[in-house]
Amino acid sequence: MAFANLKVLEEFIETIKYVSSDPTLMKSMLKKKSAFSRKSKLSFETSTFLILSMLKRSLNIEIDHFTEALNLPEELCFTKSAFSQRRHLIDSKWFQFLLEHLSNLYYEYNDDIKRWKGYKLFAIDGSTADLIKEKELLEFYEGANNQHSNYPLCRFLKMHDLLNDIIVKAQMMPMKRGEIKCAYNWVDSIADDSITICDRGFASFTFFYLMRACEKPKEFIVRCKTSFNNEVKQFVASDQMSSKLRFYATDESIKELLKHYVKVNKETYVEVRAEKIVLDTGEIEVLLTSVFDEDILSRQELKFLYMKRWNIETRIGLSKNVFQLEIFSSHLKNGIEQDFYSNMILCNIHSMLMSETQSNVDKKTAQRVYAYKVNISASINQFKKKIIDLFFNKNLLETFRKICSRFEKYIEPIRPNRKVKRTKVTKKRYGKHKTQKNYRNNI
């Protein structure tokens, strides 16, 4: 796994350098096609790596740190203004491409990724992020209003590999656009050998139909409301714990599927397996799945896999509260989108380093009473310090090992059956970044 992840990072860095050296490829990622045509202190390559270096402090401080880490002579140093002008010549879609390219490389080079009964376990979920109050952002992303003012807010969606902690896809979108409509466009990119797990916001005939109408039908587990439709209501009211249900196309789903060049009528149906899951509180949840064979997926396994979905929730919290997603290094829409996709890329690189470190920790602590894990927050502090070395050190293996070695210093015992009550915290929005109460600034 270590050498596979090392190869992934090598290929990722080489891709940036290769595109930077090819004017035709580079132009497709620029806002202005004539940009970066002359030799400059701030090349396309340098600007890309600087944006990927986790810019969370004052830009002057971050640029000083960057130039000092590279030991650049005075004549090659640049100002905050110069960087701000150059970065906005690069389209944010370049960083969106790099995110998906990195995840593709991960699956290409890792032959021993974690699976469940041969399946990859994906989850799709979304959240919102506070943006900086600027006219451009208010107009595009819109947002919400309170008694003080209106403020820009964006919606974002993630597809996450639950077992390998890899972000497969991510997308920012205006608040008026629903998460599920974005998910419809992602169906074709979901791996055939996977089970996709979603919360109740994704339960719809359109999503189920698109997943099953592929050349190779794709498996899913989706929680739905007990009042989702008449079929579900009847199932909940019955004594049955398990049933096969047929969902028929509605007028709305017929119109939506036409947008995806799929024609159905009101006699078109999708058959799913429905299971009642009784929680510790006595509350009943309904889980819908395309996997009918109980030898492959029993009711208990269905409950277990749906609980695994919580990993995407914790990873969204990690992005927002530890990787500081909502602290942006730009006030412009393009720069904020660059920061967003960079955040996702860095989460993936950090996850690959953590995977290797955790393997070493497991071996070293095998004889202890408790199992141990690396403290994520402390590891991100070390990651931030060494990210530039990771991109520029010619001996990538040495840097890779040094970072993993630093991570190993921060380990903590995993105490079994430990539960923390979930409390919802409402954030006041006054244009400043607010974090959860258990957050400490490490980067």
Side-chain angles (χ1 to χ4, degrees):
M1 180 71 83
F3 290 104
N5 285 333
L6 188 68
K7 184 65 176 174
V8 170
L9 288 173
E10 283 178 343
E11 286 292 321
F12 177 75
I13 293 166
E14 283 304 312
T15 297
I16 295 173
K17 292 180 178 178
Y18 181 75
V19 172
S20 301
S21 64
D22 188 316
T24 304
L25 289 174
M26 186 172 64
K27 281 180 183 178
S28 66
M29 300 298 177
L30 299 177
K31 303 278 280 184
K32 186 179 178 182
K33 303 308 176 187
S34 60
F36 297 100
S37 54
R38 299 180 194 174
K39 201 168 184 180
S40 168
K41 294 178 186 178
L42 262 171
S43 64
F44 179 86
E45 178 185 327
T46 303
S47 300
T48 297
F49 283 126
L50 180 49
I51 293 166
L52 286 172
S53 65
M54 214 183 299
L55 305 175
K56 299 302 174 186
R57 299 173 293 180
S58 160
L59 267 183
N60 280 323
I61 293 171
E62 293 287 13
I63 289 170
D64 282 347
H65 174 66
F66 185 81
T67 53
E68 286 173 11
L70 296 181
N71 199 22
L72 293 179
E74 189 65 33
E75 62 271 16
L76 293 181
C77 292
F78 48 87
T79 63
K80 176 178 76 171
S81 175
F83 169 64
S84 296
Q85 291 176 55
R86 299 292 274 181
R87 75 176 299 176
H88 292 300
L89 298 173
I90 304 173
D91 198 311
S92 61
K93 69 181 182 182
W94 165 232
F95 294 90
Q96 188 173 13
F97 161 78
L98 286 176
L99 170 62
E100 294 183 20
H101 180 60
L102 179 62
S103 67
N104 289 336
L105 289 172
Y106 178 82
Y107 293 111
E108 180 182 344
Y109 287 108
N110 279 288
D111 297 325
D112 58 342
I113 62 168
K114 296 175 185 174
R115 294 173 180 264
W116 182 85
K117 290 189 176 182
Y119 290 101
K120 297 171 186 169
L121 291 186
F122 290 164
I124 298 176
D125 203 1
S127 185
T128 61
D130 291 341
L131 304 179
I132 296 165
K133 190 172 180 181
E134 294 287 349
K135 184 180 178 182
E136 181 188 23
L137 297 169
L138 275 168
E139 288 176 352
F140 185 83
Y141 286 107
E142 297 179 347
N145 301 295
N146 60 22
Q147 67 269 35
H148 302 286
S149 65
N150 57 341
Y151 51 89
L153 196 65
C154 81
R155 193 186 299 281
F156 66 88
L157 193 68
K158 287 174 61 177
M159 186 193 300
H160 196 88
D161 184 327
L162 297 173
L163 299 181
N164 298 287
D165 278 336
I166 292 294
I167 300 165
V168 181
K169 288 177 78 72
Q171 187 171 334
M172 284 180 78
M173 65 194 87
M175 287 299 294
K176 64 183 178 184
R177 187 176 178 194
E179 294 171 357
I180 191 166
K181 291 191 175 180
C182 179
Y184 296 158
N185 296 324
W186 285 6
V187 168
D188 287 339
S189 62
I190 297 174
D192 293 336
D193 57 341
S194 66
I195 297 176
T196 303
I197 307 170
C198 302
D199 203 356
R200 60 187 183 180
F202 293 85
S204 77
F205 173 89
T206 304
F207 184 65
F208 299 155
Y209 188 86
L210 288 172
M211 290 288 282
R212 301 306 290 167
C214 297
E215 186 175 345
K216 185 174 180 182
K218 296 172 183 182
E219 310 294 359
F220 60 80
I221 297 170
V222 179
R223 177 187 167 202
C224 75
K225 294 180 181 179
T226 53
S227 59
F228 177 62
N229 60 17
N230 289 332
E231 288 79 4
V232 172
K233 287 178 185 177
Q234 290 170 11
F235 170 62
V236 171
S238 73
D239 295 331
Q240 293 177 299
M241 294 300 290
S242 178
S243 180
K244 289 183 181 179
L245 303 180
R246 285 186 177 183
F247 297 156
Y248 287 85
T250 62
D251 290 335
E252 184 181 349
S253 58
I254 290 169
K255 288 179 184 177
E256 187 62 40
L257 283 166
L258 279 175
K259 297 176 185 177
H260 298 270
Y261 308 102
V262 177
K263 191 173 182 179
V264 298
N265 56 48
K266 288 195 174 181
E267 294 180 358
T268 307
Y269 66 86
V270 175
E271 192 168 57
V272 299
R273 171 185 162 201
E275 293 282 354
K276 287 181 190 171
I277 306 296
V278 182
L279 305 181
D280 295 339
T281 59
E283 183 183 354
I284 291 176
E285 282 188 353
V286 177
L287 297 181
L288 307 176
T289 181
S290 57
V291 182
F292 290 92
D293 190 341
E294 292 192 29
D295 291 334
I296 296 175
L297 184 63
S298 67
R299 183 185 295 114
Q300 282 303 113
E301 288 172 327
L302 187 64
K303 181 180 179 180
F304 168 77
L305 291 190
Y306 186 75
M307 287 174 64
K308 279 283 184 184
R309 193 200 68 85
W310 187 249
N311 192 20
I312 193 172
E313 302 276 6
T314 60
R315 289 292 153 174
I316 288 173
L318 182 71
S319 292
K320 293 174 77 168
N321 291 306
V322 187
F323 273 96
Q324 300 177 5
L325 173 66
E326 294 168 307
I327 293 183
F328 299 104
S329 61
S330 171
H331 288 191
L332 300 181
K333 173 180 171 290
N334 187 62
I336 281 174
E337 289 170 354
Q338 289 174 350
D339 284 344
F340 171 81
Y341 293 112
S342 296
N343 181 289
M344 302 295 145
I345 291 167
L346 294 171
C347 282
N348 276 354
I349 295 174
H350 175 263
S351 183
M352 286 188 276
L353 290 161
M354 283 284 284
S355 175
E356 172 58 20
T357 307
Q358 190 61 51
S359 296
N360 295 336
V361 170
D362 290 343
K363 292 173 186 175
K364 291 180 179 179
T365 61
Q367 303 303 316
R368 299 191 188 183
V369 174
Y370 292 120
Y372 279 73
K373 66 177 181 179
V374 180
N375 181 296
I376 294 178
S377 186
S379 70
I380 290 172
N381 170 268
Q382 297 301 312
F383 179 61
K384 161 72 174 176
K385 291 177 180 178
K386 304 303 290 183
I387 187 68
I388 297 170
D389 286 348
L390 198 65
F391 291 145
F392 288 97
N393 194 324
K394 291 181 180 179
N395 191 337
L396 185 59
L397 176 60
E398 180 186 9
T399 307
F400 188 92
R401 285 176 171 166
K402 277 184 179 178
I403 296 174
C404 290
S405 178
R406 285 181 176 232
F407 284 6
E408 284 183 40
K409 294 179 180 179
Y410 306 98
I411 60 172
E412 295 180 351
I414 302 170
R415 294 176 176 83
N417 302 317
R418 190 179 187 187
K419 292 184 179 180
V420 179
K421 187 177 178 181
R422 185 187 182 193
T423 55
K424 291 184 179 180
V425 179
T426 301
K427 296 196 295 182
K428 293 183 179 179
R429 307 178 193 277
Y430 296 103
K432 295 274 188 177
H433 175 64
K434 301 286 192 303
T435 55
Q436 302 297 333
K437 61 184 179 182
N438 63 341
Y439 164 80
R440 298 292 183 272
N441 188 347
N442 280 334
I443 59 175

